[in-house]
Coordinates of all heavy atoms in Angstrom, one line a residue:
M19 N 0.8 -1.2 0.0 CA 0.0 0.0 0.0 C 0.9 1.3 0.0 O 0.4 2.3 -0.4 CB -0.9 0.0 1.2 CG -2.2 -0.8 0.9 SD -3.0 -0.3 -0.6 CE -4.4 -1.3 -0.7
S20 N 2.1 1.2 0.5 CA 3.0 2.3 0.6 C 3.3 2.8 -0.8 O 3.5 4.0 -1.0 CB 4.2 2.0 1.4 OG 4.9 1.0 0.8
D21 N 3.4 1.9 -1.8 CA 3.7 2.2 -3.1 C 2.6 3.2 -3.7 O 2.9 4.1 -4.4 CB 3.8 1.0 -4.0 CG 5.1 0.3 -3.8 OD1 6.0 0.9 -3.1 OD2 5.3 -0.8 -4.2
T22 N 1.4 2.8 -3.4 CA 0.3 3.6 -3.9 C 0.3 5.0 -3.3 O 0.0 5.9 -4.0 CB -1.1 2.9 -3.5 OG1 -1.0 1.5 -3.9 CG2 -2.2 3.5 -4.3
A23 N 0.6 5.1 -2.1 CA 0.6 6.4 -1.4 C 1.7 7.2 -2.0 O 1.5 8.4 -2.2 CB 0.9 6.2 0.1
A24 N 2.9 6.6 -2.4 CA 3.9 7.4 -3.0 C 3.5 7.9 -4.3 O 3.8 9.0 -4.7 CB 5.2 6.5 -3.1
D25 N 2.8 7.0 -5.1 CA 2.3 7.4 -6.4 C 1.4 8.6 -6.3 O 1.5 9.5 -7.1 CB 1.5 6.3 -7.1 CG 2.5 5.2 -7.5 OD1 3.7 5.5 -7.6 OD2 2.0 4.1 -7.9
R26 N 0.5 8.6 -5.3 CA -0.5 9.6 -5.2 C 0.2 10.9 -4.8 O -0.1 12.0 -5.3 CB -1.4 9.2 -4.1 CG -2.7 10.1 -4.1 CD -3.8 9.4 -3.3 NE -4.2 8.2 -3.9 CZ -4.7 7.2 -3.2 NH1 -4.9 7.3 -1.9 NH2 -5.1 6.0 -3.7
R27 N 1.3 10.9 -4.0 CA 2.0 12.1 -3.6 C 2.6 12.7 -4.9 O 2.7 13.9 -5.1 CB 3.1 11.8 -2.6 CG 2.7 12.2 -1.2 CD 3.9 12.3 -0.3 NE 4.7 11.2 -0.3 CZ 4.4 10.1 0.5 NH1 3.3 10.0 1.2 NH2 5.2 9.0 0.5
E28 N 3.2 11.8 -5.7 CA 3.8 12.3 -6.9 C 2.8 13.0 -7.8 O 3.1 14.0 -8.4 CB 4.4 11.0 -7.7 CG 5.6 11.4 -8.5 CD 6.3 10.1 -8.9 OE1 6.9 9.4 -8.1 OE2 6.2 9.8 -10.1
F29 N 1.6 12.4 -7.9 CA 0.5 13.0 -8.7 C 0.2 14.4 -8.2 O 0.2 15.4 -8.9 CB -0.8 12.2 -8.5 CG -1.0 11.2 -9.7 CD1 -1.2 9.9 -9.5 CD2 -0.9 11.7 -10.9 CE1 -1.4 9.1 -10.5 CE2 -1.0 10.8 -12.0 CZ -1.3 9.5 -11.8
L30 N 0.1 14.5 -6.8 CA -0.3 15.8 -6.3 C 0.8 16.8 -6.6 O 0.6 18.0 -6.9 CB -0.5 15.7 -4.8 CG -1.8 14.9 -4.4 CD1 -1.8 14.7 -2.9 CD2 -3.0 15.7 -4.8
G31 N 2.1 16.4 -6.5 CA 3.2 17.2 -6.7 C 3.2 17.7 -8.1 O 3.7 18.9 -8.4
S32 N 2.8 16.9 -9.1 CA 2.9 17.3 -10.5 C 1.7 18.2 -10.8 O 1.7 18.8 -11.9 CB 2.9 16.1 -11.4 OG 1.7 15.4 -11.3
G33 N 0.7 18.2 -10.0 CA -0.5 19.0 -10.2 C -1.5 18.3 -11.1 O -2.5 18.9 -11.5
L34 N -1.2 17.1 -11.5 CA -2.1 16.3 -12.4 C -3.3 15.7 -11.6 O -3.0 15.1 -10.5 CB -1.4 15.3 -13.1 CG -0.5 15.8 -14.3 CD1 0.5 14.6 -14.7 CD2 -1.3 16.2 -15.5
V35 N -4.5 15.9 -12.0 CA -5.6 15.3 -11.3 C -6.4 14.5 -12.4 O -6.6 14.9 -13.5 CB -6.5 16.5 -10.8 CG1 -7.8 15.9 -10.2 CG2 -5.8 17.2 -9.7
D36 N -6.9 13.3 -11.9 CA -7.7 12.5 -12.8 C -9.1 13.0 -12.9 O -9.7 13.3 -11.9 CB -7.7 11.1 -12.2 CG -6.5 10.3 -12.3 OD1 -5.9 10.4 -13.5 OD2 -6.0 9.7 -11.4
V37 N -9.5 13.2 -14.1 CA -10.9 13.7 -14.4 C -11.5 12.8 -15.4 O -10.9 12.4 -16.4 CB -10.9 15.1 -14.9 CG1 -12.3 15.6 -15.2 CG2 -10.3 16.1 -13.9
A38 N -12.8 12.3 -15.2 CA -13.4 11.5 -16.1 C -14.5 12.2 -16.8 O -15.3 13.0 -16.2 CB -14.0 10.3 -15.4
C39 N -14.6 12.1 -18.1 CA -15.7 12.8 -18.9 C -17.0 12.2 -18.4 O -17.3 11.0 -18.4 CB -15.5 12.5 -20.4 SG -16.8 13.2 -21.4
A40 N -18.0 13.1 -18.1 CA -19.3 12.7 -17.6 C -20.1 12.0 -18.7 O -21.0 11.2 -18.4 CB -20.0 13.9 -17.1
R41 N -19.8 12.3 -19.9 CA -20.6 11.7 -21.0 C -20.0 10.4 -21.5 O -20.7 9.3 -21.5 CB -20.7 12.6 -22.2 CG -21.8 12.2 -23.2 CD -21.9 13.1 -24.3 NE -20.7 13.2 -25.0 CZ -20.5 13.9 -26.1 NH1 -21.5 14.6 -26.6 NH2 -19.3 14.0 -26.7
C42 N -18.7 10.4 -21.9 CA -18.2 9.2 -22.5 C -17.4 8.4 -21.5 O -17.0 7.2 -21.8 CB -17.3 9.5 -23.7 SG -15.9 10.5 -23.3
G43 N -17.1 8.9 -20.3 CA -16.3 8.2 -19.3 C -14.8 8.1 -19.5 O -14.1 7.4 -18.8
A44 N -14.3 8.8 -20.6 CA -12.9 8.8 -20.8 C -12.2 9.4 -19.6 O -12.5 10.5 -19.2 CB -12.6 9.6 -22.1
G45 N -11.1 8.7 -19.1 CA -10.3 9.3 -18.0 C -9.1 9.9 -18.5 O -8.3 9.3 -19.2
V46 N -8.9 11.2 -18.1 CA -7.8 11.9 -18.5 C -7.1 12.5 -17.3 O -7.7 12.5 -16.2 CB -8.1 13.1 -19.5 CG1 -8.7 12.5 -20.8 CG2 -9.1 14.1 -18.8
R47 N -5.9 13.0 -17.5 CA -5.2 13.7 -16.4 C -5.1 15.1 -16.7 O -4.7 15.5 -17.8 CB -3.8 13.1 -16.1 CG -3.9 11.8 -15.4 CD -2.6 11.2 -15.3 NE -2.8 9.8 -14.7 CZ -1.8 8.9 -14.7 NH1 -0.7 9.1 -15.3 NH2 -2.1 7.8 -14.2
V48 N -5.5 16.0 -15.8 CA -5.6 17.4 -16.1 C -4.7 18.2 -15.2 O -4.6 18.0 -14.0 CB -7.1 17.8 -16.0 CG1 -7.2 19.3 -16.3 CG2 -8.0 17.0 -16.8
R49 N -4.1 19.2 -15.7 CA -3.4 20.2 -14.9 C -3.8 21.6 -15.4 O -3.9 21.9 -16.6 CB -1.9 20.1 -15.1 CG -1.1 21.0 -14.2 CD 0.3 20.4 -14.0 NE 1.0 20.7 -15.2 CZ 2.2 21.2 -15.2 NH1 2.8 21.5 -14.1 NH2 2.9 21.5 -16.3
K50 N -4.1 22.4 -14.4 CA -4.6 23.8 -14.8 C -3.5 24.8 -14.2 O -3.3 24.9 -13.1 CB -5.9 24.1 -14.1 CG -6.9 24.8 -15.1 CD -8.3 24.7 -14.7 CE -9.0 25.9 -15.3 NZ -8.8 26.2 -16.7
T51 N -2.8 25.4 -15.2 CA -1.7 26.3 -14.7 C -2.3 27.7 -14.5 O -1.6 28.5 -13.9 CB -0.6 26.3 -15.8 OG1 -1.2 26.5 -17.1 CG2 0.2 25.0 -15.7
S52 N -3.4 28.0 -15.2 CA -4.0 29.3 -15.0 C -5.5 29.2 -15.3 O -5.9 28.1 -15.8 CB -3.4 30.4 -15.8 OG -3.8 30.3 -17.2
A53 N -6.3 30.2 -15.1 CA -7.7 30.1 -15.4 C -8.0 29.8 -16.9 O -8.9 29.1 -17.2 CB -8.5 31.4 -15.0
E54 N -7.1 30.3 -17.7 CA -7.3 30.1 -19.2 C -6.6 28.9 -19.7 O -6.9 28.4 -20.7 CB -6.8 31.3 -20.0 CG -7.4 32.6 -19.6 CD -6.8 33.2 -18.4 OE1 -5.7 33.0 -18.1 OE2 -7.5 34.0 -17.7
H55 N -5.5 28.4 -19.0 CA -4.7 27.4 -19.6 C -5.0 26.0 -18.9 O -4.7 25.9 -17.7 CB -3.2 27.8 -19.5 CG -2.4 26.8 -20.4 ND1 -1.6 25.9 -19.8 CD2 -2.3 26.7 -21.7 CE1 -1.0 25.2 -20.8 NE2 -1.4 25.7 -22.0
T56 N -5.4 25.1 -19.7 CA -5.6 23.7 -19.2 C -4.8 22.8 -20.0 O -5.0 22.7 -21.2 CB -7.1 23.4 -19.2 OG1 -7.8 24.4 -18.6 CG2 -7.4 22.0 -18.6
S57 N -4.0 22.0 -19.4 CA -3.3 20.9 -20.2 C -3.9 19.5 -19.8 O -4.1 19.2 -18.6 CB -1.8 20.9 -20.0 OG -1.5 21.2 -18.7
I58 N -4.3 18.8 -20.9 CA -4.9 17.5 -20.7 C -4.1 16.4 -21.2 O -3.6 16.5 -22.3 CB -6.3 17.5 -21.4 CG1 -7.2 18.6 -20.9 CG2 -7.0 16.1 -21.2 CD1 -8.5 18.8 -21.6
Q59 N -3.8 15.4 -20.4 CA -3.1 14.3 -20.8 C -4.0 13.1 -21.2 O -4.7 12.6 -20.3 CB -2.1 13.8 -19.6 CG -0.7 14.0 -19.9 CD 0.2 13.6 -18.7 OE1 -0.2 12.6 -18.1 NE2 1.2 14.3 -18.4
W60 N -4.0 12.8 -22.4 CA -4.9 11.7 -22.9 C -4.2 10.4 -22.9 O -3.1 10.3 -23.6 CB -5.4 12.0 -24.3 CG -6.4 13.2 -24.4 CD1 -6.1 14.5 -24.4 CD2 -7.8 13.0 -24.4 NE1 -7.3 15.2 -24.5 CE2 -8.4 14.4 -24.5 CE3 -8.7 12.0 -24.5 CZ2 -9.7 14.6 -24.6 CZ3 -10.1 12.2 -24.5 CH2 -10.5 13.5 -24.6
S61 N -4.7 9.4 -22.3 CA -4.2 8.1 -22.5 C -4.7 7.5 -23.8 O -5.7 8.0 -24.3 CB -4.6 7.2 -21.3 OG -6.0 7.0 -21.3
T62 N -4.1 6.5 -24.2 CA -4.5 5.8 -25.5 C -6.0 5.4 -25.3 O -6.8 5.5 -26.2 CB -3.6 4.7 -25.9 OG1 -2.3 5.1 -25.8 CG2 -3.9 4.3 -27.3
A63 N -6.3 4.8 -24.2 CA -7.6 4.3 -23.9 C -8.7 5.4 -23.9 O -9.7 5.2 -24.5 CB -7.7 3.5 -22.6
A64 N -8.3 6.5 -23.4 CA -9.2 7.6 -23.3 C -9.4 8.2 -24.7 O -10.6 8.6 -25.1 CB -8.7 8.7 -22.4
Q65 N -8.4 8.2 -25.6 CA -8.6 8.7 -26.9 C -9.5 7.8 -27.7 O -10.3 8.3 -28.6 CB -7.2 8.7 -27.6 CG -6.3 9.8 -27.1 CD -4.9 9.8 -27.7 OE1 -4.8 9.4 -28.9 NE2 -3.9 10.3 -27.0
R66 N -9.4 6.5 -27.5 CA -10.3 5.6 -28.2 C -11.7 5.7 -27.7 O -12.7 5.6 -28.4 CB -9.9 4.2 -27.9 CG -8.6 3.8 -28.7 CD -8.6 2.3 -29.0 NE -7.3 1.9 -29.4 CZ -6.4 1.4 -28.5 NH1 -6.8 1.1 -27.3 NH2 -5.2 1.0 -28.9
R67 N -11.9 6.1 -26.4 CA -13.2 6.1 -25.8 C -14.0 7.3 -26.1 O -15.2 7.3 -26.3 CB -13.0 6.0 -24.3 CG -14.3 5.8 -23.6 CD -14.0 5.2 -22.2 NE -15.2 4.8 -21.6 CZ -15.3 4.0 -20.5 NH1 -14.2 3.5 -20.1 NH2 -16.5 3.8 -20.0
C68 N -13.3 8.5 -26.2 CA -14.0 9.7 -26.4 C -14.1 10.1 -27.9 O -13.1 10.3 -28.6 CB -13.3 10.9 -25.7 SG -14.3 12.4 -25.7
E69 N -15.3 10.0 -28.5 CA -15.5 10.3 -29.9 C -15.1 11.8 -30.2 O -14.6 12.1 -31.3 CB -17.0 10.1 -30.3 CG -17.4 8.7 -30.3 CD -18.9 8.6 -30.5 OE1 -19.5 9.5 -31.0 OE2 -19.4 7.5 -30.1
A70 N -15.3 12.6 -29.2 CA -15.0 14.0 -29.5 C -13.5 14.4 -29.5 O -13.2 15.4 -30.0 CB -15.7 14.9 -28.4
F71 N -12.7 13.4 -29.1 CA -11.3 13.7 -29.1 C -10.8 13.9 -30.5 O -10.0 14.8 -30.8 CB -10.5 12.5 -28.5 CG -9.0 12.7 -28.6 CD1 -8.4 13.5 -27.7 CD2 -8.3 12.0 -29.6 CE1 -7.0 13.6 -27.7 CE2 -6.9 12.1 -29.6 CZ -6.3 13.0 -28.7
A72 N -11.4 13.2 -31.5 CA -10.9 13.3 -32.9 C -11.4 14.6 -33.6 O -10.9 14.9 -34.6 CB -11.5 12.0 -33.7
L73 N -12.3 15.2 -32.9 CA -12.9 16.4 -33.5 C -12.0 17.7 -33.4 O -12.3 18.7 -34.1 CB -14.3 16.7 -32.9 CG -15.3 15.6 -33.0 CD1 -16.6 16.0 -32.3 CD2 -15.6 15.3 -34.5
R74 N -11.0 17.6 -32.6 CA -10.1 18.7 -32.5 C -10.6 19.8 -31.6 O -9.9 20.6 -31.1 CB -9.6 19.2 -33.8 CG -8.4 18.5 -34.5 CD -7.3 18.7 -33.6 NE -6.1 18.2 -34.2 CZ -4.9 18.3 -33.6 NH1 -4.8 18.7 -32.3 NH2 -3.8 17.8 -34.2
T75 N -12.0 19.9 -31.6 CA -12.6 21.0 -30.8 C -12.6 20.5 -29.3 O -12.9 21.3 -28.4 CB -14.0 21.2 -31.2 OG1 -14.7 20.0 -31.3 CG2 -14.0 21.9 -32.6
G76 N -12.3 19.3 -29.1 CA -12.3 18.7 -27.7 C -13.7 18.3 -27.4 O -14.7 18.4 -28.1
C77 N -13.8 17.7 -26.2 CA -15.1 17.1 -25.7 C -15.8 18.1 -24.8 O -15.3 18.4 -23.7 CB -14.8 15.8 -25.1 SG -16.3 15.0 -24.4
P78 N -16.9 18.7 -25.2 CA -17.6 19.7 -24.3 C -18.0 19.1 -23.0 O -17.9 19.8 -22.0 CB -18.9 20.0 -25.1 CG -18.8 19.3 -26.4 CD -17.7 18.4 -26.4
A79 N -18.4 17.8 -22.9 CA -18.7 17.2 -21.6 C -17.5 17.1 -20.7 O -17.6 17.2 -19.5 CB -19.4 15.8 -21.9
L80 N -16.4 16.8 -21.3 CA -15.2 16.7 -20.5 C -14.8 18.1 -20.0 O -14.3 18.2 -18.8 CB -14.0 16.1 -21.4 CG -12.7 16.0 -20.7 CD1 -12.7 15.2 -19.5 CD2 -11.6 15.6 -21.7
R81 N -15.0 19.0 -20.8 CA -14.6 20.4 -20.4 C -15.5 20.8 -19.2 O -15.0 21.4 -18.2 CB -14.9 21.4 -21.5 CG -13.8 22.4 -21.6 CD -13.7 23.2 -22.9 NE -14.9 23.2 -23.7 CZ -14.8 22.9 -25.0 NH1 -13.7 22.6 -25.6 NH2 -15.9 23.0 -25.8
R82 N -16.7 20.4 -19.2 CA -17.6 20.7 -18.1 C -17.2 19.9 -16.8 O -17.2 20.4 -15.7 CB -19.1 20.3 -18.4 CG -20.1 21.0 -17.5 CD -21.5 21.0 -18.1 NE -21.5 21.3 -19.5 CZ -22.1 20.5 -20.4 NH1 -22.6 19.3 -20.1 NH2 -22.1 20.8 -21.7
S83 N -16.8 18.6 -17.0 CA -16.3 17.8 -15.9 C -15.0 18.5 -15.3 O -14.9 18.5 -14.1 CB -15.9 16.4 -16.4 OG -17.1 15.8 -16.9
I84 N -14.2 19.1 -16.1 CA -13.0 19.7 -15.6 C -13.4 21.0 -14.8 O -12.9 21.3 -13.7 CB -12.1 20.1 -16.7 CG1 -11.5 18.8 -17.4 CG2 -10.9 21.0 -16.3 CD1 -10.7 19.1 -18.7
E85 N -14.4 21.7 -15.3 CA -14.8 22.9 -14.6 C -15.4 22.5 -13.3 O -15.2 23.2 -12.2 CB -15.9 23.6 -15.4 CG -15.3 24.5 -16.5 CD -16.3 25.0 -17.6 OE1 -17.5 24.9 -17.3 OE2 -15.9 25.3 -18.7
D86 N -16.2 21.4 -13.2 CA -16.7 20.9 -12.0 C -15.6 20.6 -11.0 O -15.7 20.9 -9.8 CB -17.6 19.6 -12.2 CG -18.9 20.0 -12.9 OD1 -19.2 21.2 -12.9 OD2 -19.6 19.1 -13.3
A87 N -14.6 19.9 -11.5 CA -13.5 19.6 -10.6 C -12.8 20.8 -10.0 O -12.4 20.8 -8.9 CB -12.4 18.8 -11.4
V88 N -12.7 21.9 -10.8 CA -12.2 23.1 -10.3 C -13.1 23.7 -9.2 O -12.6 24.1 -8.1 CB -11.9 24.1 -11.4 CG1 -11.5 25.5 -10.9 CG2 -10.9 23.6 -12.4
E89 N -14.4 23.7 -9.5 CA -15.3 24.3 -8.6 C -15.4 23.6 -7.3 O -15.5 24.2 -6.2 CB -16.7 24.4 -9.3 CG -16.9 25.6 -10.0 CD -18.2 25.6 -10.8 OE1 -19.2 24.9 -10.3 OE2 -18.3 26.1 -11.9
S90 N -15.2 22.3 -7.3 CA -15.3 21.5 -6.1 C -14.0 21.5 -5.4 O -13.9 20.9 -4.3 CB -15.7 20.0 -6.4 OG -14.7 19.4 -7.2
G91 N -13.0 22.1 -6.0 CA -11.7 22.2 -5.3 C -10.8 21.0 -5.4 O -9.7 20.9 -4.8
R92 N -11.2 20.1 -6.3 CA -10.5 18.9 -6.5 C -9.3 19.1 -7.4 O -8.2 18.5 -7.4 CB -11.4 17.8 -7.2 CG -11.1 16.4 -6.7 CD -12.3 15.5 -7.0 NE -12.7 15.5 -8.4 CZ -11.9 14.8 -9.3 NH1 -10.9 14.0 -9.0 NH2 -12.3 14.7 -10.6
L93 N -9.5 20.1 -8.3 CA -8.4 20.5 -9.3 C -8.0 21.9 -8.9 O -8.8 22.8 -9.0 CB -9.0 20.4 -10.7 CG -8.0 20.8 -11.8 CD1 -6.7 20.1 -11.8 CD2 -8.7 20.7 -13.2
L94 N -6.8 22.0 -8.5 CA -6.3 23.3 -8.1 C -5.7 24.1 -9.3 O -5.0 23.5 -10.1 CB -5.3 23.2 -7.0 CG -5.8 22.6 -5.7 CD1 -4.6 22.4 -4.7 CD2 -6.9 23.4 -5.1
V95 N -5.9 25.4 -9.4 CA -5.4 26.2 -10.5 C -4.0 26.8 -10.0 O -3.9 27.3 -9.0 CB -6.4 27.3 -10.9 CG1 -5.8 28.2 -12.0 CG2 -7.7 26.8 -11.2
G96 N -3.1 26.5 -10.9 CA -1.7 27.1 -10.6 C -0.7 26.1 -10.4 O -0.9 24.9 -10.5
Ligands
LIG127 ZN1 -16.0 12.8 -23.8

């Protein structure tokens, strides 16, 4: 279990937070460096899962999920 705890600390240190798209369920890792700038790390599985990923405009449902994470304080900005 100590390995898992170490992994989690590393996650928090990197500022990456797991967010799942409320519509398609694609799990991504998100880091918000400012209110305007959001970097999203897509796993291969998430890219396959989210149809909107291929659209280049991004997934609106995922964007909303990210906003929810910020509002709930789960995703810290900065
Ligand atoms: Zn999606």
Side-chain angles (χ1 to χ4, degrees):
M19 275 309 177
S20 60
D21 283 349
T22 312
D25 285 348
R26 195 163 298 151
R27 259 201 306 281
E28 209 169 291
F29 263 128
L30 290 171
S32 68
L34 285 163
V35 172
D36 288 311
V37 176
C39 176
R41 193 182 59 178
C42 65
V46 297
R47 282 172 187 168
V48 182
R49 186 161 74 133
K50 225 165 153 44
T51 48
S52 73
E54 300 81 27
H55 193 255
T56 308
S57 36
I58 302 175
Q59 249 180 37
W60 289 82
S61 67
T62 313
Q65 287 177 31
R66 285 208 197 96
R67 188 156 188 164
C68 188
E69 287 171 26
F71 177 78
L73 299 178
R74 275 296 192 183
T75 50
C77 179
L80 175 61
R81 221 164 18 231
R82 200 165 315 125
S83 298
I84 293 171
E85 280 164 20
D86 285 349
V88 173
E89 272 172 33
S90 67
R92 216 161 59 78
L93 177 58
L94 299 175
V95 180

